[in-house]
Amino acid sequence: DGGITQSPKYLFRKEGQNVTLSCEQNLNHDAMYWYRQDPGQGLRLIYYSQIVNDFQKGDIAEGYSVSREKKESFPLTVTSAQKNPTAFYLCASNPAGFTDTQYFGPGTRLTVL
Amino acid sequence: LAKTTQPISMDSYEGQEVNITCSHNNIATNDYITWYQQFPSQGPRFIIQGYKTKVTNEVASLFIPADRKSSTLSLPRVSLSDTAVYYCLVGINQAGTALIFGKGTTLSVSS
């Protein structure tokens, strides 16, 4: 089955700790994205990557970091510098074009205690 | 940059046709109109995309008038499982990257 997987589905961390969210895709897509969603809100872009070893900041990149060492993987680290990290995090991918249909993973709900 | 406006919420009953209209007055010539569906605690799912006139697939229809300043997503004979948030997206953001998701329309279907 082709698709995007995110793990874990639920994640709890203490305030001040860094945490890494996993995103893997086997769709052979070049582009990958990370979004954040707060209750009752739309999605906001954190980071995106169009190709391996390259990534760009989105609209709300402060307090987050990413890497893209493999085409299939685009992990997101929520650092202690992120002031309000509790949210629903969504990873997406598409073949290449920015206006291509995006395929989303199931999401990770992060709660910082 | 095309901004979209859609109703915050809509209510319907099972078996009815639901039409959700999205306004996008500043749509650019090369912008497509895309609709996504999102269930609680899940990632959005692509429903339909169009550029002009009418597009139909097995899930929905998309009606786009000649001026392209609005579009209407039509869901035929909705069921309880169609209760979800529906997002209308047009164009890309200023960085030239991903599509912009607003707050969407929350559709509630009752029996």
Side-chain angles (χ1 to χ4, degrees):
Chain A
D1 266 346
I4 301 178
T5 57
Q6 292 185 242
S7 61
K9 188 168 180 62
Y10 299 96
L11 189 56
F12 297 89
R13 280 293 182 270
K14 292 182 179 179
E15 193 172 345
Q17 288 182 333
N18 290 356
V19 60
T20 297
L21 281 58
S22 168
C23 177
E24 303 278 334
Q25 54 99 0
N26 60 4
L27 300 167
N28 200 34
H29 287 168
D30 285 314
M32 297 186 74
Y33 309 82
W34 273 106
Y35 291 90
R36 169 183 172 137
Q37 187 174 34
D38 293 288
Q41 303 297 314
L43 282 67
R44 292 184 290 169
L45 182 66
I46 304 173
Y47 268 98
Y48 67 98
S49 169
Q50 296 180 64
I51 197 169
V52 174
N53 293 322
D54 183 66
F55 49 83
Q56 304 296 328
K57 293 181 179 180
D59 302 316
I60 56 165
E62 185 176 351
Y64 300 97
S65 66
V66 294
S67 63
R68 187 84 186 278
E69 297 177 1
K70 297 187 300 182
K71 188 175 185 177
E72 305 80 26
S73 178
F74 191 40
L76 173 74
T77 297
V78 184
T79 74
S80 57
Q82 168 50 231
K83 299 188 186 311
N84 186 18
T86 294
F88 188 48
Y89 290 88
L90 287 158
C91 179
S93 71
N94 62 6
F98 293 122
T99 56
D100 281 348
T101 300
Q102 294 196 17
Y103 297 84
F104 284 84
T108 292
R109 188 167 299 280
L110 172 64
T111 301
V112 175
L113 307 171
Chain B
L1 184 64
K3 178 182 176 182
T4 60
T5 302
Q6 53 183 123
I8 295 296
S9 63
M10 294 183 68
D11 296 314
S12 182
Y13 291 97
E14 282 189 293
Q16 290 187 334
E17 178 185 73
V18 172
N19 296 309
I20 306 175
T21 297
C22 179
S23 298
H24 28 79
N25 292 322
N26 297 323
I27 188 169
T29 303
N30 58 348
D31 283 342
Y32 278 76
I33 300 158
T34 311
W35 286 80
Y36 285 79
Q37 175 192 56
Q38 186 181 26
F39 297 112
S41 298
Q42 294 186 26
R45 183 175 71 100
F46 170 84
I47 300 176
I48 198 166
Q49 184 180 71
Y51 184 79
K52 62 180 178 180
T53 63
K54 177 184 175 182
V55 179
T56 298
N57 61 23
E58 64 278 6
V59 177
S61 295
L62 179 60
F63 297 93
I64 305 169
D67 65 6
R68 302 199 332 119
K69 293 184 182 299
S70 66
S71 59
T72 299
L73 173 73
S74 180
L75 304 172
R77 297 179 299 283
V78 295
S79 64
L80 295 176
S81 63
D82 291 316
T83 294
V85 179
Y86 293 83
Y87 296 97
C88 166
L89 285 77
V90 174
I92 57 179
N93 66 11
Q94 292 179 336
T97 57
L99 300 175
I100 300 174
F101 287 80
K103 295 185 179 181
T105 296
T106 299
L107 173 64
S108 299
V109 180
S110 304
S111 58

